[in-house]
Amino acid sequence: MDRRNRGQRLDAGQLGGELGERATLVQFSSAFCQPCRATRRTLIEVAGMVDGVTHIEIDAEDRLALVRELDITRTPTVLVLDAEGEVVRRASGQPRTVDVVAALGHAI
C-alpha cells in the first residue's frame, strides 16, 4: 500500500457514508471489475473482524469528480482512512487480507 493522498481528509459527505469510529476502508469499484468483487469480500471480512472499522464502496463511474480529485486510475483502489478521515494508506488492485490488516495498523 502506498502513501499517495496521505494527509488528505475525506468526510461522510464526500464518501456517501459515515466514517468508521476507528478507521474506514474506502473501495473504488466499477461494474464489470472482477477483482472488485473479491476486494469487496476481503474488506467486508476485515471490517467485520476489527471493531470500529467501516467499509464504504464507491462506484467510480458515478463519482468521477472524486475519482479525479483523488487520482484514482484503476479499480479496485482502496484507501485506508483514520478516525478523522485522513488517508493513511492507498493501494490499487486486489489486496490480500494480511495487507489490509497491516494498513489498518497505521490508521488505528
Side-chain angles (χ1 to χ4, degrees):
M1 296 203 144
D2 73 35
R3 295 174 182 240
R4 269 187 297 164
N5 302 104
R6 186 174 172 96
Q8 185 168 3
R9 289 191 188 276
L10 301 171
D11 60 32
Q14 291 170 293
L15 299 173
E18 291 301 315
L19 295 175
E21 183 180 311
R22 296 174 68 200
T24 306
L25 301 170
V26 180
Q27 175 184 348
F28 286 86
S29 299
S30 53
F32 299 104
C33 166
Q34 190 67 32
C36 293
R37 294 181 187 122
T39 298
R40 178 184 313 116
R41 287 190 298 272
T42 298
L43 297 182
I44 288 171
E45 177 185 348
V46 171
M49 291 186 317
V50 184
D51 288 337
V53 175
T54 299
H55 169 245
I56 297 174
E57 187 170 4
I58 296 173
D59 184 324
E61 295 171 25
D62 289 344
R63 304 290 303 280
L64 288 176
L66 184 59
V67 165
R68 288 184 185 114
E69 178 184 338
L70 297 171
D71 193 29
I72 305 293
T73 58
R74 61 183 281 213
T75 58
T77 291
V78 177
L79 304 178
V80 179
L81 312 181
D82 67 12
E84 287 75 42
E86 182 177 326
V87 177
V88 295
R89 287 288 189 269
R90 171 188 173 130
S92 293
Q94 184 178 333
R96 298 177 310 154
T97 300
V98 67
D99 295 330
V100 176
V101 171
L104 277 174
H106 296 277
I108 296 177

